[in-house]
Amino acid sequence: MRKNTLGMKLLSLALAVTVVGSGFAFYGAKDSEDAYAASGKPSIEKTDYDGKGKVEVEFYGDVKYYNTKVTVTKLSTGQTYNAEIIKKDSDDIEFISPSYTSGCKYKYTISGVKKYRASSYTSVSGYFTVPKATTIKIEEIEYDAEDRELSVDFKTKVNWKNPNVKVYSASGDYICSGRILEKDNDGIEVRLSKSLSYGKKYTCKISGVKARTASEYKTISKKFYAVD
């Protein structure tokens, strides 16, 4: 009986130590999370200049906003002005200004923002560069499987000279060409000579295009997935 009683006491003591230890570990993790949230300042994952004066900022994790404002400073002159907020989501924000100069770097500051669980609002800053006007960038490529059509949108205004559109596989093999249906100063639509495999990755190459302020026409390309 004494041996059994002693064994039960030792077992009870071991369980108590385990529970207490687990308790300390739990409260330690909670304290760590609270300290992280209390810092308030969100972390910026990336900043993209999307063209036409629009800038998109993505955060690590969710954020909240209150009386949010965005100011932008041109680093070469120190001039600061307010930007218009056009979209606020739980993990990103988009703002716009017509005052950007191509080829210049800017600093932006977002005030009235905080981490989702933080107790107070704060501000966060980042940087972006506006590409030179002679640089052409494709903003988006959409594929219409039913009509075998590609719609290509540019981030900059463009001019055309005998344009040609071709599609290649992800490994660089030629797939097909496109017949131009419509083109304007910021996009082009073509009907492909054959259908693409749905969901696969391709490269679209467009020749005979240039930025309006550029002197030479060139060939540009962008990868895309054949999805509606």
Side-chain angles (χ1 to χ4, degrees):
M1 287 295 292
R2 288 182 180 178
K3 289 183 179 180
N4 290 340
T5 301
L6 180 59
M8 290 298 294
K9 287 183 178 181
L10 290 174
L11 178 59
S12 298
L13 180 60
L15 290 173
V17 170
T18 301
V19 171
V20 172
S22 299
F24 278 121
F26 172 78
Y27 288 120
K30 185 176 185 302
D31 290 343
S32 177
E33 291 177 2
D34 290 343
Y36 174 79
S39 65
K41 189 182 292 293
S43 296
I44 295 173
E45 182 175 1
K46 68 175 182 175
T47 303
D48 288 325
Y49 179 76
D50 291 334
K52 302 176 184 178
K54 292 186 286 188
V55 178
E56 184 177 9
V57 180
E58 295 186 15
F59 300 102
Y60 284 106
D62 289 346
V63 300
K64 284 188 175 182
Y65 307 95
Y66 181 74
N67 288 337
T68 307
K69 296 180 180 179
V70 179
T71 58
V72 179
T73 302
K74 188 176 182 179
L75 295 184
S76 60
T77 64
Q79 180 184 4
T80 299
Y81 49 91
N82 294 326
E84 177 188 357
I85 298 172
I86 57 177
K87 186 183 73 171
K88 289 186 295 185
D89 287 334
S90 61
D91 60 357
D92 71 333
I93 186 171
E94 190 173 357
F95 54 89
I96 188 171
S97 172
S99 303
Y100 300 140
T101 303
S102 62
C104 290
K105 188 175 182 178
Y106 293 83
K107 177 183 179 180
Y108 64 86
T109 299
I110 304 169
S111 61
V113 64
K114 69 172 184 175
K115 293 175 185 174
Y116 188 82
R117 292 185 55 212
S119 56
S120 60
Y121 290 87
T122 182
S123 62
V124 63
S125 297
Y127 299 87
F128 65 91
T129 299
V130 179
K132 292 183 178 180
T134 56
T135 302
I136 303 177
K137 285 191 176 182
I138 296 175
E139 182 173 14
E140 185 179 23
I141 297 179
E142 293 184 350
Y143 176 63
D144 184 339
E146 183 177 355
D147 295 327
R148 302 198 320 271
E149 291 181 4
L150 278 186
S151 178
V152 183
D153 294 326
F154 297 94
K155 291 185 177 182
T156 51
K157 301 295 184 182
V158 300
N159 287 340
W160 302 96
K161 184 178 181 180
N162 300 322
N164 193 286
V165 179
K166 294 181 179 180
V167 175
Y168 297 81
S169 68
S171 59
D173 297 324
Y174 173 76
I175 301 296
C176 64
S177 61
R179 178 170 62 87
I180 296 172
L181 303 175
E182 183 182 352
K183 63 181 187 293
D184 54 29
N185 61 14
D186 63 357
I188 189 170
E189 292 187 9
V190 300
R191 177 167 288 122
L192 301 180
S193 58
K194 64 181 296 185
S195 297
L196 304 180
S197 298
Y198 192 83
K200 282 194 174 182
K201 190 176 184 179
Y202 295 90
T203 297
C204 176
K205 290 188 178 181
I206 305 174
S207 62
V209 62
K210 73 178 183 70
R212 280 187 168 180
T213 55
S215 57
E216 296 182 358
Y217 290 88
K218 58 176 62 178
T219 298
I220 62 173
S221 64
K222 184 177 177 66
K223 298 182 185 300
F224 71 97
Y225 287 92
V227 294
D228 290 330

